[in-house]
Amino acid sequence: MAKPKKIIKPAVKFLQKCPTGITGLDEITGGGLPLGRPTLVCGSAGCGKTLLAMEFLVHGAVEYREPGVFIAFEETAEDLAKNVASLGFDLKALIARKKLAVDYVFIERSEIEETGEYDLEGLFIRLGNAIDTIGAKRVVLDTVEALFSGLPNPAILRAELRRLFRWLKDKCVTAIITGERGEGTLTRYGIEEYVSDCVIVLDHRIIDQTATRRLRVAKYRGSVHGTNEYPFLIDAQGISVLPVTSLGLNHKVSQERVPSGILRLDTMLGGKGYFRGSSILISGTAGSGKTSVAAHFADAACRRGERCLSFLFEEAPNQVLRNMRSIGVNLEPWVKKGLLRFHAARPSLYGLEMHLAVTIRAINQFKPSVVIVDPISSFSTTDNSFEAKAMLIRLVDFLKVKGITVLLTNLTSAGTALEHTEAEISSLIDTWLLLREIELNGERNRGMYVLKSRGMAHSNQIREFRLTGHGVELTDVYIGACGVLTGSARLAQEAREKAEELAAMHDAEQQQAALERKRHALEAQITALRAEFAANEVEAKRLILQSEQRQESMVKERQEMEHSRRADPATAAGRNKK
Amino acid sequence: MTDTTAEFEKLLAKSSKGTYDLRLYVTGSTRKSKLAIKNIKQLCETHLKGRYNLTVVDLYQTPEAARDEQVIVAPTLVKKLPPPLRRLIGDLSNSSRVLLALDIKQEDE
C-alpha cells in the first residue's frame, strides 16, 4: 500500500485565520477572522459592535503581538478609552507602548462644501500612516458609514469605499468594519456588497421583555463556520460567545457511580447511586421534597471533597441553607470551605440564552463536578417551551461533555401527569426519580420511586419518602390485603395487625390454662377416689381381720369348751371336719 | 468717540477682507490635485489679490497633517481665517460654490 497522505497534497493553501481572542467566537469561526481580509460586523445600535472590534484589537495587541489601528468615526479617543476601561482594557497604556493607535475622524457636515470631484485619499494616507507607524496587523473602522452622513455625493463614496477595502486587503491587514443595520439590508448603506469575505451579524433582541444578545456568522467565504445564532454576553470580562449548540453526542461516559446521599435511594439504584456524569431529574409537585433530595446530593458531593455548583431560580441561598438545616442537612460548612457555591437568579432576570450563557460561564469558572439546577420548570412559560427545551438540551449536553453530574428538579403542576415535564426533556434524562403525593385518610404523604434509570438495575418499588430531623428517609410502604399504605394509615394498619396477633396469642394462652385447670381437676378427682378406695380397703381389711379373729376365737373357745367337757377327741375332731 | 468707532469699523472691514488664511491639502500630483491648485490660485489672484495666504500641503510628504487637520478627503481646502472655519472638498472647479463658501463678495457683478 502506498502512502496516500504523501500523494494528496492540498494544491491550494487553506484560508488562514486571525484569532480574535474573544471567547467562543474563534470556535464558531474555526480559528478567527479571515487573515488579511476585511470582515463586516453589523448590527443595530447598542448591540456591541464597537466593543467586539475593540476587543479584537486589544487581544491582538496583548496576546498575539499584533498591533492594531482603531479609526473611530463616532467617538473620540478619550471616550473610547473611558468606555472600555470598565472591561479592564487600558487603551492609553497600549497607545503609549505603540501597540495600538486610535484615530478619531471628525466630520462636521456644516463645515463642508463640495466644490468638485474628490476622493478619500486623505483617509487612506491617515490610515496608512497609522498602520506603518506601529506596524499594525489589525485595523478597525468604526463606523465607516458615518462618511455617508458627513460627505456629499454617495456615488464617489461607494467607489472610494470599494477601493479602501481592496487597499486594506493589499496591505494584508485583518480588518473589522462595523456597520449599522439598515431596513431590510445588513447595513444602512449596503456596504456589505464590498466586504464579501466575512460578515458577522450582531443582534439585540427583546422577547418577553427580556433582552438577549446574539451573534451569527452570516457569511464566511472559504471556511466552514457555525451557522446558528449564538448568544453572547457583555460583562466585566468583555464579550463571550457561547457556542453551546456545537456540541454533539459523542462524549465519554463514565462507569463510576456517585452516591446520592440517601442510603436507601442508593439501594434503589442498584446499590451504588447515580452514574457520574449522568443527568438526574427529580420531578414532583410543590412541596414534595425535591430540593431536599438535591441538598443531600450536594452534601454527599462536598463530603467526598468535590465541588458543587447549585443554581437556584426560586429560592435565595440563605433560605435554602436554613430550610435544609431543619432536616438535618447542614450545607453551610461547605459554602465556607468553598466546595459549594450557590448561583441564584430569577428566571425573568434575563432571557433563556443569557441564563444559559451565565450558567455555562459560572460552570467554567467554578469547575464543579456536580451541578444542581433547581428548578428547571421555572424557565418554561406557555409560549417558549421549545426554547426552554433547546436550552436545557444544550446545558445537559455541555455538562455531559464535561463529565459533570447534573441534578435537575422539575416542579409538576397539580392536575397534570407527573411524568409530564414542562420542557419535555425526559429523553435527556438518565435517571428520573418521581416524588409522588399519596393522599389517603385525610393526610398527605410522600412516595418516591425510580421512573427510569438508564444502565442500572433499579428498584421498581415505591418507597415512602419521609423528611425527618436527620434527613430524608425512605421506608418500605405497607403492602397488604388493603393495598399500599403510607403514613399514619401504614402505622394504623401495623398497630391493628399487632393487636390481632396479640389477641390470638392471648386465646392460645387461655386454652392452655383451661386445659391445665381441667387436668388439675381430674387429677384431684383421681386422688380423692384413690383416697376413698384406700379408706375402704382399710375398713375391709379390718372387717376381714375381725371376722378371722372372731372365728379363731370361736375355734379356740370350742376347743376350750371340749377340753373342759372332755369330749371324745374323735367326735370333737369329726365335728371340726364338718 | 465717533472717531474711534469709525476707526474700528474700518479696521474690521480691512482685516476681514485682508487676511485670508487658506490651506490646500493635496495628494501628490494627481489630476485632481493639479486642478485644485490651478483653480485656487486663479481664484485668489482674481478676488483676493494681495490679501491672502495660501499654503499647499502634500499629504504624501506630511501624512501627520491629515490627522492633525482632520483631513480625509483630497483635495481639501481649509479656510482657517477669517472665521468660520470651512472645508471645501473637491477640485474647486465649481467656482461660484467656492466663492460662496469662502464668503467672497463678487464685487464685479
PDB file of all heavy atoms in Angstrom, chain A residues 103-104 106 111-123 126, chain B residues 27 32 60 67 70-74 87 89-94 97:
ATOM      1  N   ASP A 103      -7.416  56.726  16.086  1.00  0.00           N
ATOM      2  CA  ASP A 103      -7.544  57.971  15.343  1.00  0.00           C
ATOM      3  C   ASP A 103      -9.026  58.311  15.213  1.00  0.00           C
ATOM      4  O   ASP A 103      -9.803  57.517  14.698  1.00  0.00           O
ATOM      5  CB  ASP A 103      -6.899  57.804  13.955  1.00  0.00           C
ATOM      6  CG  ASP A 103      -6.821  59.132  13.218  1.00  0.00           C
ATOM      7  OD1 ASP A 103      -7.285  60.147  13.780  1.00  0.00           O
ATOM      8  OD2 ASP A 103      -6.293  59.142  12.088  1.00  0.00           O
ATOM      9  N   TYR A 104      -9.350  59.465  15.724  1.00  0.00           N
ATOM     10  CA  TYR A 104     -10.740  59.894  15.658  1.00  0.00           C
ATOM     11  C   TYR A 104     -10.940  60.757  14.423  1.00  0.00           C
ATOM     12  O   TYR A 104     -10.314  61.805  14.279  1.00  0.00           O
ATOM     13  CB  TYR A 104     -11.093  60.664  16.939  1.00  0.00           C
ATOM     14  CG  TYR A 104     -12.418  61.366  16.885  1.00  0.00           C
ATOM     15  CD1 TYR A 104     -13.582  60.670  16.513  1.00  0.00           C
ATOM     16  CD2 TYR A 104     -12.531  62.706  17.219  1.00  0.00           C
ATOM     17  CE1 TYR A 104     -14.794  61.315  16.459  1.00  0.00           C
ATOM     18  CE2 TYR A 104     -13.751  63.355  17.179  1.00  0.00           C
ATOM     19  CZ  TYR A 104     -14.882  62.653  16.797  1.00  0.00           C
ATOM     20  OH  TYR A 104     -16.087  63.282  16.740  1.00  0.00           O
ATOM     21  N   PHE A 106     -13.113  63.184  12.519  1.00  0.00           N
ATOM     22  CA  PHE A 106     -14.211  64.102  12.808  1.00  0.00           C
ATOM     23  C   PHE A 106     -14.702  64.727  11.513  1.00  0.00           C
ATOM     24  O   PHE A 106     -13.932  65.319  10.761  1.00  0.00           O
ATOM     25  CB  PHE A 106     -13.698  65.180  13.778  1.00  0.00           C
ATOM     26  CG  PHE A 106     -14.674  66.283  14.023  1.00  0.00           C
ATOM     27  CD1 PHE A 106     -15.727  66.114  14.911  1.00  0.00           C
ATOM     28  CD2 PHE A 106     -14.536  67.511  13.375  1.00  0.00           C
ATOM     29  CE1 PHE A 106     -16.623  67.145  15.143  1.00  0.00           C
ATOM     30  CE2 PHE A 106     -15.441  68.530  13.607  1.00  0.00           C
ATOM     31  CZ  PHE A 106     -16.478  68.345  14.495  1.00  0.00           C
ATOM     32  N   GLU A 111     -19.507  72.259   7.990  1.00  0.00           N
ATOM     33  CA  GLU A 111     -18.281  72.947   7.577  1.00  0.00           C
ATOM     34  C   GLU A 111     -17.912  72.647   6.134  1.00  0.00           C
ATOM     35  O   GLU A 111     -17.052  73.286   5.564  1.00  0.00           O
ATOM     36  CB  GLU A 111     -17.103  72.482   8.443  1.00  0.00           C
ATOM     37  CG  GLU A 111     -17.109  73.014   9.852  1.00  0.00           C
ATOM     38  CD  GLU A 111     -15.945  72.418  10.635  1.00  0.00           C
ATOM     39  OE1 GLU A 111     -15.148  71.677  10.050  1.00  0.00           O
ATOM     40  OE2 GLU A 111     -15.856  72.698  11.819  1.00  0.00           O
ATOM     41  N   ILE A 112     -18.558  71.608   5.599  1.00  0.00           N
ATOM     42  CA  ILE A 112     -18.068  71.062   4.343  1.00  0.00           C
ATOM     43  C   ILE A 112     -18.883  71.551   3.158  1.00  0.00           C
ATOM     44  O   ILE A 112     -20.107  71.631   3.201  1.00  0.00           O
ATOM     45  CB  ILE A 112     -18.071  69.521   4.411  1.00  0.00           C
ATOM     46  CG1 ILE A 112     -16.944  69.075   5.349  1.00  0.00           C
ATOM     47  CG2 ILE A 112     -17.905  68.898   3.030  1.00  0.00           C
ATOM     48  CD1 ILE A 112     -17.000  67.641   5.714  1.00  0.00           C
ATOM     49  N   GLU A 113     -18.174  71.913   2.140  1.00  0.00           N
ATOM     50  CA  GLU A 113     -18.804  72.328   0.891  1.00  0.00           C
ATOM     51  C   GLU A 113     -18.147  71.564  -0.248  1.00  0.00           C
ATOM     52  O   GLU A 113     -16.932  71.485  -0.340  1.00  0.00           O
ATOM     53  CB  GLU A 113     -18.599  73.839   0.696  1.00  0.00           C
ATOM     54  CG  GLU A 113     -19.372  74.420  -0.448  1.00  0.00           C
ATOM     55  CD  GLU A 113     -20.887  74.410  -0.224  1.00  0.00           C
ATOM     56  OE1 GLU A 113     -21.321  74.911   0.846  1.00  0.00           O
ATOM     57  OE2 GLU A 113     -21.603  73.888  -1.083  1.00  0.00           O
ATOM     58  N   GLU A 114     -18.990  70.933  -1.057  1.00  0.00           N
ATOM     59  CA  GLU A 114     -18.433  70.187  -2.170  1.00  0.00           C
ATOM     60  C   GLU A 114     -18.235  71.131  -3.351  1.00  0.00           C
ATOM     61  O   GLU A 114     -19.142  71.846  -3.758  1.00  0.00           O
ATOM     62  CB  GLU A 114     -19.370  69.041  -2.564  1.00  0.00           C
ATOM     63  CG  GLU A 114     -18.728  68.081  -3.539  1.00  0.00           C
ATOM     64  CD  GLU A 114     -19.736  67.240  -4.287  1.00  0.00           C
ATOM     65  OE1 GLU A 114     -20.941  67.389  -4.027  1.00  0.00           O
ATOM     66  OE2 GLU A 114     -19.322  66.454  -5.143  1.00  0.00           O
ATOM     67  N   THR A 115     -17.044  71.131  -3.878  1.00  0.00           N
ATOM     68  CA  THR A 115     -16.748  72.065  -4.960  1.00  0.00           C
ATOM     69  C   THR A 115     -16.268  71.378  -6.216  1.00  0.00           C
ATOM     70  O   THR A 115     -15.805  72.041  -7.141  1.00  0.00           O
ATOM     71  CB  THR A 115     -15.657  73.055  -4.510  1.00  0.00           C
ATOM     72  OG1 THR A 115     -14.472  72.282  -4.250  1.00  0.00           O
ATOM     73  CG2 THR A 115     -16.060  73.836  -3.301  1.00  0.00           C
ATOM     74  N   GLY A 116     -16.344  70.040  -6.204  1.00  0.00           N
ATOM     75  CA  GLY A 116     -15.866  69.336  -7.387  1.00  0.00           C
ATOM     76  C   GLY A 116     -15.573  67.895  -7.053  1.00  0.00           C
ATOM     77  O   GLY A 116     -15.961  67.388  -6.001  1.00  0.00           O
ATOM     78  N   GLU A 117     -14.884  67.255  -7.954  1.00  0.00           N
ATOM     79  CA  GLU A 117     -14.568  65.850  -7.776  1.00  0.00           C
ATOM     80  C   GLU A 117     -13.587  65.674  -6.622  1.00  0.00           C
ATOM     81  O   GLU A 117     -12.660  66.473  -6.468  1.00  0.00           O
ATOM     82  CB  GLU A 117     -13.933  65.326  -9.072  1.00  0.00           C
ATOM     83  CG  GLU A 117     -14.508  64.000  -9.510  1.00  0.00           C
ATOM     84  CD  GLU A 117     -13.863  63.550 -10.796  1.00  0.00           C
ATOM     85  OE1 GLU A 117     -14.126  64.215 -11.835  1.00  0.00           O
ATOM     86  OE2 GLU A 117     -13.110  62.583 -10.757  1.00  0.00           O
ATOM     87  N   TYR A 118     -13.820  64.635  -5.834  1.00  0.00           N
ATOM     88  CA  TYR A 118     -12.892  64.402  -4.718  1.00  0.00           C
ATOM     89  C   TYR A 118     -12.672  62.912  -4.536  1.00  0.00           C
ATOM     90  O   TYR A 118     -13.339  62.085  -5.133  1.00  0.00           O
ATOM     91  CB  TYR A 118     -13.413  65.025  -3.424  1.00  0.00           C
ATOM     92  CG  TYR A 118     -14.640  64.356  -2.850  1.00  0.00           C
ATOM     93  CD1 TYR A 118     -14.489  63.327  -1.896  1.00  0.00           C
ATOM     94  CD2 TYR A 118     -15.919  64.743  -3.222  1.00  0.00           C
ATOM     95  CE1 TYR A 118     -15.609  62.715  -1.365  1.00  0.00           C
ATOM     96  CE2 TYR A 118     -17.039  64.124  -2.690  1.00  0.00           C
ATOM     97  CZ  TYR A 118     -16.876  63.112  -1.767  1.00  0.00           C
ATOM     98  OH  TYR A 118     -17.964  62.492  -1.244  1.00  0.00           O
ATOM     99  N   ASP A 119     -11.725  62.560  -3.696  1.00  0.00           N
ATOM    100  CA  ASP A 119     -11.534  61.167  -3.303  1.00  0.00           C
ATOM    101  C   ASP A 119     -11.193  61.118  -1.818  1.00  0.00           C
ATOM    102  O   ASP A 119     -11.069  62.143  -1.167  1.00  0.00           O
ATOM    103  CB  ASP A 119     -10.473  60.483  -4.167  1.00  0.00           C
ATOM    104  CG  ASP A 119      -9.159  61.209  -4.115  1.00  0.00           C
ATOM    105  OD1 ASP A 119      -8.769  61.659  -3.016  1.00  0.00           O
ATOM    106  OD2 ASP A 119      -8.496  61.345  -5.168  1.00  0.00           O
ATOM    107  N   LEU A 120     -11.034  59.875  -1.309  1.00  0.00           N
ATOM    108  CA  LEU A 120     -10.788  59.712   0.121  1.00  0.00           C
ATOM    109  C   LEU A 120      -9.315  59.449   0.397  1.00  0.00           C
ATOM    110  O   LEU A 120      -8.962  58.831   1.385  1.00  0.00           O
ATOM    111  CB  LEU A 120     -11.632  58.562   0.689  1.00  0.00           C
ATOM    112  CG  LEU A 120     -13.125  58.833   0.866  1.00  0.00           C
ATOM    113  CD1 LEU A 120     -13.813  57.597   1.413  1.00  0.00           C
ATOM    114  CD2 LEU A 120     -13.362  60.000   1.810  1.00  0.00           C
ATOM    115  N   GLU A 121      -8.489  59.940  -0.488  1.00  0.00           N
ATOM    116  CA  GLU A 121      -7.071  59.655  -0.358  1.00  0.00           C
ATOM    117  C   GLU A 121      -6.525  60.114   1.004  1.00  0.00           C
ATOM    118  O   GLU A 121      -5.631  59.496   1.568  1.00  0.00           O
ATOM    119  CB  GLU A 121      -6.312  60.351  -1.507  1.00  0.00           C
ATOM    120  CG  GLU A 121      -4.890  59.880  -1.719  1.00  0.00           C
ATOM    121  CD  GLU A 121      -4.738  58.395  -2.069  1.00  0.00           C
ATOM    122  OE1 GLU A 121      -5.674  57.827  -2.666  1.00  0.00           O
ATOM    123  OE2 GLU A 121      -3.701  57.812  -1.720  1.00  0.00           O
ATOM    124  N   GLY A 122      -7.123  61.177   1.514  1.00  0.00           N
ATOM    125  CA  GLY A 122      -6.693  61.674   2.836  1.00  0.00           C
ATOM    126  C   GLY A 122      -6.860  60.607   3.902  1.00  0.00           C
ATOM    127  O   GLY A 122      -5.977  60.393   4.744  1.00  0.00           O
ATOM    128  N   LEU A 123      -7.978  59.909   3.848  1.00  0.00           N
ATOM    129  CA  LEU A 123      -8.234  58.829   4.812  1.00  0.00           C
ATOM    130  C   LEU A 123      -7.235  57.702   4.609  1.00  0.00           C
ATOM    131  O   LEU A 123      -6.697  57.155   5.574  1.00  0.00           O
ATOM    132  CB  LEU A 123      -9.669  58.324   4.631  1.00  0.00           C
ATOM    133  CG  LEU A 123     -10.105  57.201   5.567  1.00  0.00           C
ATOM    134  CD1 LEU A 123     -10.133  57.681   6.999  1.00  0.00           C
ATOM    135  CD2 LEU A 123     -11.467  56.669   5.163  1.00  0.00           C
ATOM    136  N   ARG A 126      -3.998  58.773   6.102  1.00  0.00           N
ATOM    137  CA  ARG A 126      -4.073  58.732   7.561  1.00  0.00           C
ATOM    138  C   ARG A 126      -3.951  57.313   8.069  1.00  0.00           C
ATOM    139  O   ARG A 126      -3.198  57.006   8.985  1.00  0.00           O
ATOM    140  CB  ARG A 126      -5.430  59.287   7.999  1.00  0.00           C
ATOM    141  CG  ARG A 126      -5.345  60.690   8.507  1.00  0.00           C
ATOM    142  CD  ARG A 126      -6.711  61.234   8.652  1.00  0.00           C
ATOM    143  NE  ARG A 126      -7.116  61.239  10.047  1.00  0.00           N
ATOM    144  CZ  ARG A 126      -8.119  61.997  10.498  1.00  0.00           C
ATOM    145  NH1 ARG A 126      -8.787  62.764   9.675  1.00  0.00           N
ATOM    146  NH2 ARG A 126      -8.423  61.987  11.757  1.00  0.00           N
TER     147      ARG A 126
ATOM    148  N   THR B  27      -2.897  65.447  -2.730  1.00  0.00           N
ATOM    149  CA  THR B  27      -2.179  64.171  -2.666  1.00  0.00           C
ATOM    150  C   THR B  27      -1.341  64.030  -3.920  1.00  0.00           C
ATOM    151  O   THR B  27      -1.796  63.555  -4.956  1.00  0.00           O
ATOM    152  CB  THR B  27      -3.184  63.004  -2.558  1.00  0.00           C
ATOM    153  OG1 THR B  27      -4.185  63.197  -3.561  1.00  0.00           O
ATOM    154  CG2 THR B  27      -3.845  62.962  -1.207  1.00  0.00           C
ATOM    155  N   LYS B  32      -6.599  65.646 -10.016  1.00  0.00           N
ATOM    156  CA  LYS B  32      -7.447  66.451  -9.126  1.00  0.00           C
ATOM    157  C   LYS B  32      -6.608  67.461  -8.339  1.00  0.00           C
ATOM    158  O   LYS B  32      -7.012  68.597  -8.146  1.00  0.00           O
ATOM    159  CB  LYS B  32      -8.215  65.534  -8.154  1.00  0.00           C
ATOM    160  CG  LYS B  32      -9.397  64.841  -8.804  1.00  0.00           C
ATOM    161  CD  LYS B  32     -10.329  64.228  -7.803  1.00  0.00           C
ATOM    162  CE  LYS B  32      -9.833  62.923  -7.251  1.00  0.00           C
ATOM    163  NZ  LYS B  32     -10.187  61.734  -8.016  1.00  0.00           N
ATOM    164  N   TYR B  60       1.164  63.304   1.055  1.00  0.00           N
ATOM    165  CA  TYR B  60       2.150  62.234   0.951  1.00  0.00           C
ATOM    166  C   TYR B  60       3.446  62.620   1.647  1.00  0.00           C
ATOM    167  O   TYR B  60       4.129  61.786   2.223  1.00  0.00           O
ATOM    168  CB  TYR B  60       2.422  61.907  -0.524  1.00  0.00           C
ATOM    169  CG  TYR B  60       1.285  61.163  -1.196  1.00  0.00           C
ATOM    170  CD1 TYR B  60       0.821  61.539  -2.456  1.00  0.00           C
ATOM    171  CD2 TYR B  60       0.704  60.062  -0.568  1.00  0.00           C
ATOM    172  CE1 TYR B  60      -0.218  60.843  -3.073  1.00  0.00           C
ATOM    173  CE2 TYR B  60      -0.337  59.365  -1.170  1.00  0.00           C
ATOM    174  CZ  TYR B  60      -0.791  59.768  -2.427  1.00  0.00           C
ATOM    175  OH  TYR B  60      -1.805  59.084  -3.021  1.00  0.00           O
ATOM    176  N   ARG B  67      -4.069  63.818   9.986  1.00  0.00           N
ATOM    177  CA  ARG B  67      -4.693  63.591  11.268  1.00  0.00           C
ATOM    178  C   ARG B  67      -4.855  64.908  12.034  1.00  0.00           C
ATOM    179  O   ARG B  67      -5.910  65.186  12.590  1.00  0.00           O
ATOM    180  CB  ARG B  67      -3.848  62.613  12.086  1.00  0.00           C
ATOM    181  CG  ARG B  67      -4.622  62.081  13.273  1.00  0.00           C
ATOM    182  CD  ARG B  67      -3.808  61.108  14.066  1.00  0.00           C
ATOM    183  NE  ARG B  67      -2.602  61.729  14.590  1.00  0.00           N
ATOM    184  CZ  ARG B  67      -1.511  61.022  14.913  1.00  0.00           C
ATOM    185  NH1 ARG B  67      -1.466  59.723  14.714  1.00  0.00           N
ATOM    186  NH2 ARG B  67      -0.453  61.635  15.404  1.00  0.00           N
ATOM    187  N   GLN B  70      -7.617  66.920  10.584  1.00  0.00           N
ATOM    188  CA  GLN B  70      -8.865  66.183  10.327  1.00  0.00           C
ATOM    189  C   GLN B  70      -9.232  66.189   8.840  1.00  0.00           C
ATOM    190  O   GLN B  70     -10.357  66.456   8.457  1.00  0.00           O
ATOM    191  CB  GLN B  70     -10.024  66.770  11.153  1.00  0.00           C
ATOM    192  CG  GLN B  70      -9.991  66.405  12.606  1.00  0.00           C
ATOM    193  CD  GLN B  70     -10.255  64.932  12.863  1.00  0.00           C
ATOM    194  OE1 GLN B  70     -10.568  64.172  11.954  1.00  0.00           O
ATOM    195  NE2 GLN B  70     -10.111  64.518  14.106  1.00  0.00           N
ATOM    196  N   VAL B  71      -8.238  65.840   8.030  1.00  0.00           N
ATOM    197  CA  VAL B  71      -8.492  65.765   6.596  1.00  0.00           C
ATOM    198  C   VAL B  71      -8.633  64.304   6.196  1.00  0.00           C
ATOM    199  O   VAL B  71      -7.804  63.471   6.567  1.00  0.00           O
ATOM    200  CB  VAL B  71      -7.321  66.412   5.815  1.00  0.00           C
ATOM    201  CG1 VAL B  71      -7.536  66.231   4.319  1.00  0.00           C
ATOM    202  CG2 VAL B  71      -7.210  67.886   6.154  1.00  0.00           C
ATOM    203  N   ILE B  72      -9.694  63.979   5.519  1.00  0.00           N
ATOM    204  CA  ILE B  72      -9.812  62.628   4.971  1.00  0.00           C
ATOM    205  C   ILE B  72     -10.035  62.670   3.463  1.00  0.00           C
ATOM    206  O   ILE B  72      -9.828  61.695   2.773  1.00  0.00           O
ATOM    207  CB  ILE B  72     -10.949  61.821   5.643  1.00  0.00           C
ATOM    208  CG1 ILE B  72     -12.277  62.565   5.575  1.00  0.00           C
ATOM    209  CG2 ILE B  72     -10.597  61.458   7.071  1.00  0.00           C
ATOM    210  CD1 ILE B  72     -13.444  61.677   5.921  1.00  0.00           C
ATOM    211  N   VAL B  73     -10.479  63.815   3.002  1.00  0.00           N
ATOM    212  CA  VAL B  73     -10.828  63.939   1.589  1.00  0.00           C
ATOM    213  C   VAL B  73      -9.734  64.733   0.874  1.00  0.00           C
ATOM    214  O   VAL B  73      -9.155  65.644   1.440  1.00  0.00           O
ATOM    215  CB  VAL B  73     -12.188  64.657   1.450  1.00  0.00           C
ATOM    216  CG1 VAL B  73     -12.468  65.004   0.001  1.00  0.00           C
ATOM    217  CG2 VAL B  73     -13.289  63.789   2.016  1.00  0.00           C
ATOM    218  N   ALA B  74      -9.444  64.303  -0.318  1.00  0.00           N
ATOM    219  CA  ALA B  74      -8.459  65.050  -1.084  1.00  0.00           C
ATOM    220  C   ALA B  74      -9.059  65.367  -2.452  1.00  0.00           C
ATOM    221  O   ALA B  74      -9.720  64.536  -3.044  1.00  0.00           O
ATOM    222  CB  ALA B  74      -7.189  64.224  -1.254  1.00  0.00           C
ATOM    223  N   ARG B  87     -14.463  73.869   5.188  1.00  0.00           N
ATOM    224  CA  ARG B  87     -13.687  72.883   4.434  1.00  0.00           C
ATOM    225  C   ARG B  87     -14.327  72.746   3.059  1.00  0.00           C
ATOM    226  O   ARG B  87     -15.506  72.412   2.961  1.00  0.00           O
ATOM    227  CB  ARG B  87     -13.719  71.529   5.125  1.00  0.00           C
ATOM    228  CG  ARG B  87     -12.933  71.475   6.387  1.00  0.00           C
ATOM    229  CD  ARG B  87     -13.316  70.248   7.185  1.00  0.00           C
ATOM    230  NE  ARG B  87     -12.896  70.419   8.546  1.00  0.00           N
ATOM    231  CZ  ARG B  87     -11.667  70.148   8.961  1.00  0.00           C
ATOM    232  NH1 ARG B  87     -10.771  69.684   8.137  1.00  0.00           N
ATOM    233  NH2 ARG B  87     -11.346  70.337  10.222  1.00  0.00           N
ATOM    234  N   ILE B  89     -14.279  70.658  -0.201  1.00  0.00           N
ATOM    235  CA  ILE B  89     -13.727  69.422  -0.735  1.00  0.00           C
ATOM    236  C   ILE B  89     -13.947  69.383  -2.245  1.00  0.00           C
ATOM    237  O   ILE B  89     -14.884  69.967  -2.764  1.00  0.00           O
ATOM    238  CB  ILE B  89     -14.341  68.175  -0.051  1.00  0.00           C
ATOM    239  CG1 ILE B  89     -15.857  68.126  -0.219  1.00  0.00           C
ATOM    240  CG2 ILE B  89     -13.975  68.145   1.428  1.00  0.00           C
ATOM    241  CD1 ILE B  89     -16.463  66.819   0.228  1.00  0.00           C
ATOM    242  N   GLY B  90     -13.036  68.662  -2.887  1.00  0.00           N
ATOM    243  CA  GLY B  90     -13.134  68.550  -4.334  1.00  0.00           C
ATOM    244  C   GLY B  90     -12.093  69.406  -5.032  1.00  0.00           C
ATOM    245  O   GLY B  90     -11.281  70.075  -4.388  1.00  0.00           O
ATOM    246  N   ASP B  91     -12.166  69.377  -6.354  1.00  0.00           N
ATOM    247  CA  ASP B  91     -11.101  70.028  -7.137  1.00  0.00           C
ATOM    248  C   ASP B  91     -11.343  71.517  -7.365  1.00  0.00           C
ATOM    249  O   ASP B  91     -10.654  72.150  -8.158  1.00  0.00           O
ATOM    250  CB  ASP B  91     -10.904  69.292  -8.471  1.00  0.00           C
ATOM    251  CG  ASP B  91     -12.203  69.170  -9.253  1.00  0.00           C
ATOM    252  OD1 ASP B  91     -13.129  69.965  -8.974  1.00  0.00           O
ATOM    253  OD2 ASP B  91     -12.325  68.266 -10.099  1.00  0.00           O
ATOM    254  N   LEU B  92     -12.331  72.086  -6.687  1.00  0.00           N
ATOM    255  CA  LEU B  92     -12.604  73.527  -6.690  1.00  0.00           C
ATOM    256  C   LEU B  92     -12.987  74.070  -8.075  1.00  0.00           C
ATOM    257  O   LEU B  92     -12.801  75.246  -8.360  1.00  0.00           O
ATOM    258  CB  LEU B  92     -11.394  74.325  -6.146  1.00  0.00           C
ATOM    259  CG  LEU B  92     -10.869  73.879  -4.781  1.00  0.00           C
ATOM    260  CD1 LEU B  92      -9.541  74.558  -4.494  1.00  0.00           C
ATOM    261  CD2 LEU B  92     -11.874  74.207  -3.686  1.00  0.00           C
ATOM    262  N   SER B  93     -13.512  73.169  -8.929  1.00  0.00           N
ATOM    263  CA  SER B  93     -13.852  73.648 -10.266  1.00  0.00           C
ATOM    264  C   SER B  93     -15.201  74.369 -10.315  1.00  0.00           C
ATOM    265  O   SER B  93     -15.463  75.132 -11.228  1.00  0.00           O
ATOM    266  CB  SER B  93     -13.812  72.491 -11.282  1.00  0.00           C
ATOM    267  OG  SER B  93     -14.309  71.327 -10.689  1.00  0.00           O
ATOM    268  N   ASN B  94     -16.028  74.160  -9.290  1.00  0.00           N
ATOM    269  CA  ASN B  94     -17.288  74.902  -9.216  1.00  0.00           C
ATOM    270  C   ASN B  94     -17.019  76.236  -8.513  1.00  0.00           C
ATOM    271  O   ASN B  94     -17.162  76.385  -7.306  1.00  0.00           O
ATOM    272  CB  ASN B  94     -18.306  74.068  -8.440  1.00  0.00           C
ATOM    273  CG  ASN B  94     -19.703  74.644  -8.517  1.00  0.00           C
ATOM    274  OD1 ASN B  94     -19.863  75.860  -8.734  1.00  0.00           O
ATOM    275  ND2 ASN B  94     -20.703  73.805  -8.322  1.00  0.00           N
ATOM    276  N   ARG B  97     -19.527  78.118  -6.174  1.00  0.00           N
ATOM    277  CA  ARG B  97     -19.641  77.490  -4.860  1.00  0.00           C
ATOM    278  C   ARG B  97     -18.441  77.820  -3.982  1.00  0.00           C
ATOM    279  O   ARG B  97     -18.572  78.047  -2.791  1.00  0.00           O
ATOM    280  CB  ARG B  97     -19.720  75.980  -5.002  1.00  0.00           C
ATOM    281  CG  ARG B  97     -21.134  75.496  -5.196  1.00  0.00           C
ATOM    282  CD  ARG B  97     -21.225  74.088  -4.711  1.00  0.00           C
ATOM    283  NE  ARG B  97     -22.494  73.506  -5.091  1.00  0.00           N
ATOM    284  CZ  ARG B  97     -22.809  72.241  -4.885  1.00  0.00           C
ATOM    285  NH1 ARG B  97     -21.924  71.429  -4.331  1.00  0.00           N
ATOM    286  NH2 ARG B  97     -23.971  71.779  -5.235  1.00  0.00           N
TER     287      ARG B  97
END
